[in-house]
Amino acid sequence: MNQHIIQRLTLAVSISLASAAIATNAQADHSWGGYHWARTTPQFTLKLGDNLTPTNWKSHLAQTSTDWNSGNSAVITAIIAGSNAKRRCSMVTGTAQVCNDRYGNNGWLGLASINITGGTHITQGSAKMNDTYFNTATYNNPNEREHVMCQEVAHTFGLDHQSTDGSSQN
Protein backbone atom coordinates (compact mmCIF):
# COMPACT_ATOMS: atom_id res chain seq x y z
CA MET A 1 0.00 0.00 0.00
CA ASN A 2 1.29 3.43 -0.97
CA GLN A 3 1.17 6.02 1.79
CA HIS A 4 1.51 9.72 1.20
CA ILE A 5 3.31 11.64 3.88
CA ILE A 6 2.32 15.26 4.30
CA GLN A 7 4.95 17.44 5.86
CA ARG A 8 3.33 19.68 8.43
CA LEU A 9 5.28 22.45 10.07
CA THR A 10 4.11 25.24 12.30
CA LEU A 11 6.01 28.50 12.05
CA ALA A 12 5.56 31.59 14.13
CA VAL A 13 6.82 35.15 14.00
CA SER A 14 6.02 38.01 16.33
CA ILE A 15 6.37 41.72 16.71
CA SER A 16 8.44 42.18 19.83
CA LEU A 17 8.05 45.12 22.15
CA ALA A 18 11.39 46.51 20.99
CA SER A 19 10.34 46.69 17.35
CA ALA A 20 6.83 48.17 17.59
CA ALA A 21 6.37 51.40 15.64
CA ILE A 22 3.90 53.31 13.48
CA ALA A 23 2.76 52.03 10.09
CA THR A 24 1.31 54.35 7.47
CA ASN A 25 0.55 52.02 4.57
CA ALA A 26 0.84 48.39 3.65
CA GLN A 27 3.75 47.43 1.43
CA ALA A 28 5.95 44.38 1.43
CA ASP A 29 7.95 42.45 -1.09
CA HIS A 30 9.87 40.10 1.16
CA SER A 31 8.99 36.43 1.37
CA TRP A 32 8.93 34.73 4.75
CA GLY A 33 11.12 31.70 4.06
CA GLY A 34 9.56 31.17 0.63
CA TYR A 35 6.21 30.22 2.19
CA HIS A 36 3.10 30.97 0.15
CA TRP A 37 -0.46 29.80 -0.38
CA ALA A 38 -0.82 27.20 -3.14
CA ARG A 39 -2.88 28.56 -6.00
CA THR A 40 -3.50 27.95 -9.68
CA THR A 41 -3.80 31.61 -10.75
CA PRO A 42 -1.83 34.74 -9.88
CA GLN A 43 -4.86 36.19 -8.05
CA PHE A 44 -5.79 34.73 -4.68
CA THR A 45 -8.51 35.48 -2.15
CA LEU A 46 -7.70 34.73 1.48
CA LYS A 47 -10.49 34.73 4.06
CA LEU A 48 -9.56 36.45 7.31
CA GLY A 49 -11.54 35.00 10.21
CA ASP A 50 -12.72 37.82 12.46
CA ASN A 51 -12.38 36.53 16.03
CA LEU A 52 -11.87 40.00 17.49
CA THR A 53 -13.66 41.71 20.33
CA PRO A 54 -15.72 44.66 19.10
CA THR A 55 -13.82 47.32 21.02
CA ASN A 56 -10.49 48.51 19.60
CA TRP A 57 -9.73 45.83 16.98
CA LYS A 58 -12.45 45.31 14.36
CA SER A 59 -11.82 48.66 12.68
CA HIS A 60 -8.10 47.82 12.41
CA LEU A 61 -8.83 44.50 10.72
CA ALA A 62 -11.10 46.32 8.25
CA GLN A 63 -8.36 48.89 7.57
CA THR A 64 -5.74 46.17 7.18
CA SER A 65 -7.90 44.35 4.65
CA THR A 66 -8.46 47.59 2.75
CA ASP A 67 -4.75 48.46 2.81
CA TRP A 68 -3.64 45.06 1.55
CA ASN A 69 -6.26 45.17 -1.22
CA SER A 70 -5.28 48.65 -2.44
CA GLY A 71 -2.34 47.70 -4.69
CA ASN A 72 -2.28 48.29 -8.42
CA SER A 73 -2.70 44.59 -9.17
CA ALA A 74 -3.57 42.80 -5.97
CA VAL A 75 -2.30 39.25 -5.83
CA ILE A 76 -4.03 38.57 -2.53
CA THR A 77 -7.51 39.78 -1.74
CA ALA A 78 -8.13 39.70 2.00
CA ILE A 79 -11.79 39.43 2.90
CA ILE A 80 -13.20 39.36 6.40
CA ALA A 81 -15.40 36.34 7.02
CA GLY A 82 -16.87 34.92 10.20
CA SER A 83 -16.87 35.96 13.82
CA ASN A 84 -16.08 33.71 16.77
CA ALA A 85 -14.09 35.71 19.38
CA LYS A 86 -12.08 32.73 20.61
CA ARG A 87 -9.02 33.19 22.81
CA ARG A 88 -7.10 30.19 21.47
CA CYS A 89 -7.32 31.46 17.89
CA SER A 90 -7.58 27.96 16.46
CA MET A 91 -6.56 27.73 12.83
CA VAL A 92 -9.07 26.81 10.14
CA THR A 93 -7.87 25.24 6.88
CA GLY A 94 -7.83 27.70 3.99
CA THR A 95 -8.11 30.81 6.19
CA ALA A 96 -6.11 33.11 8.44
CA GLN A 97 -7.87 33.54 11.78
CA VAL A 98 -7.36 36.91 13.48
CA CYS A 99 -7.81 37.15 17.25
CA ASN A 100 -7.13 39.30 20.29
CA ASP A 101 -6.94 38.56 23.99
CA ARG A 102 -4.77 39.07 27.04
CA TYR A 103 -2.06 36.56 26.21
CA GLY A 104 0.22 37.74 29.03
CA ASN A 105 3.53 39.56 29.52
CA ASN A 106 5.44 37.38 27.08
CA GLY A 107 7.36 39.96 25.02
CA TRP A 108 5.15 40.01 21.90
CA LEU A 109 2.52 42.49 20.79
CA GLY A 110 1.41 40.31 17.89
CA LEU A 111 2.11 36.73 16.91
CA ALA A 112 1.50 35.12 13.52
CA SER A 113 1.58 31.38 12.94
CA ILE A 114 1.20 29.32 9.77
CA ASN A 115 0.97 25.64 8.96
CA ILE A 116 2.56 24.39 5.76
CA THR A 117 2.59 21.27 3.59
CA GLY A 118 4.92 20.26 0.81
CA GLY A 119 7.74 22.35 2.19
CA THR A 120 6.40 25.81 1.29
CA HIS A 121 2.60 25.83 0.87
CA ILE A 122 0.64 27.58 3.60
CA THR A 123 -2.57 25.74 4.49
CA GLN A 124 -3.84 27.88 7.37
CA GLY A 125 -2.73 30.68 9.65
CA SER A 126 -3.49 32.79 12.69
CA ALA A 127 -2.64 36.30 13.82
CA LYS A 128 -2.94 37.13 17.52
CA MET A 129 -3.00 40.63 19.02
CA ASN A 130 -1.87 40.73 22.67
CA ASP A 131 -4.19 42.96 24.73
CA THR A 132 -1.92 42.61 27.75
CA TYR A 133 0.27 45.28 26.14
CA PHE A 134 -2.37 47.10 24.11
CA ASN A 135 -4.26 47.87 27.33
CA THR A 136 -1.29 49.95 28.54
CA ALA A 137 -0.70 53.65 27.82
CA THR A 138 2.41 52.88 25.76
CA TYR A 139 0.63 50.81 23.11
CA ASN A 140 -3.05 51.72 23.44
CA ASN A 141 -3.29 53.97 20.39
CA PRO A 142 -4.56 53.51 16.84
CA ASN A 143 -1.11 53.71 15.19
CA GLU A 144 0.37 50.87 17.25
CA ARG A 145 -2.72 48.72 16.75
CA GLU A 146 -2.75 49.37 13.00
CA HIS A 147 0.94 48.55 12.65
CA VAL A 148 0.75 45.26 14.49
CA MET A 149 -2.50 44.14 12.83
CA CYS A 150 -1.20 44.91 9.34
CA GLN A 151 2.11 43.16 9.90
CA GLU A 152 0.77 40.03 11.60
CA VAL A 153 -1.88 39.52 8.90
CA ALA A 154 0.88 39.95 6.28
CA HIS A 155 2.85 37.13 7.90
CA THR A 156 -0.14 34.83 7.32
CA PHE A 157 0.18 35.72 3.61
CA GLY A 158 3.82 34.51 3.70
CA LEU A 159 5.44 37.94 3.93
CA ASP A 160 8.40 38.64 6.19
CA HIS A 161 9.56 41.92 7.70
CA GLN A 162 11.00 44.40 5.23
CA SER A 163 13.84 44.97 7.64
CA THR A 164 14.95 43.68 10.98
CA ASP A 165 16.73 46.86 12.08
CA GLY A 166 13.60 49.02 12.30
CA SER A 167 14.45 51.20 9.30
CA SER A 168 11.31 50.36 7.30
CA GLN A 169 8.70 50.37 10.03
CA ASN A 170 7.02 53.52 8.83
Side-chain angles (χ1 to χ4, degrees), residues 36-45 75 121:
H36 58 276
W37 289 84
R39 59 190 187 272
T40 57
T41 65
Q43 305 321 66
F44 178 67
T45 298
V75 172
H121 291 145

Side-chain angles (χ1 to χ4, degrees), residues 8-168:
R8 187 175 200 118
L9 174 66
T10 300
L11 301 168
V13 67
S14 67
I15 293 181
S16 68
L17 296 176
S19 69
I22 298 170
T24 56
N25 63 20
Q27 292 181 6
D29 56 7
H30 296 279
S31 173
W32 179 22
Y35 305 114
H36 58 276
W37 289 84
R39 59 190 187 272
T40 57
T41 65
Q43 305 321 66
F44 178 67
T45 298
L46 178 62
K47 292 180 182 176
L48 301 175
D50 178 356
N51 303 288
L52 300 164
T53 55
T55 307
N56 296 324
W57 285 112
K58 287 189 180 281
S59 65
H60 297 293
L61 179 59
Q63 185 62 51
T64 292
S65 178
T66 297
D67 287 350
W68 280 112
N69 295 333
S70 67
N72 293 333
S73 59
V75 172
I76 296 176
T77 302
I79 61 170
I80 301 168
S83 182
N84 298 317
K86 295 180 182 175
R87 174 181 164 82
R88 291 190 53 220
C89 205
S90 299
M91 291 188 206
V92 175
T93 300
T95 71
Q97 298 298 306
V98 184
C99 311
N100 72 292
D101 205 341
R102 292 180 181 151
Y103 295 108
N105 291 308
N106 49 29
W108 55 264
L109 296 170
L111 179 70
S113 301
I114 57 174
N115 283 355
I116 63 169
T117 62
T120 58
H121 291 145
I122 301 170
T123 59
Q124 58 191 358
S126 69
K128 297 178 182 179
M129 311 308 130
N130 191 348
D131 287 334
T132 301
Y133 297 108
F134 286 106
N135 288 336
T136 67
T138 302
Y139 298 105
N140 191 9
N141 67 73
N143 292 328
E144 292 289 352
R145 289 176 186 272
E146 192 70 34
H147 172 239
V148 174
M149 176 69 73
C150 189
Q151 184 161 301
E152 297 309 317
V153 167
H155 290 317
T156 69
F157 297 164
L159 297 174
D160 200 354
H161 299 141
Q162 286 192 344
S163 74
T164 55
D165 64 4
S167 64
S168 69

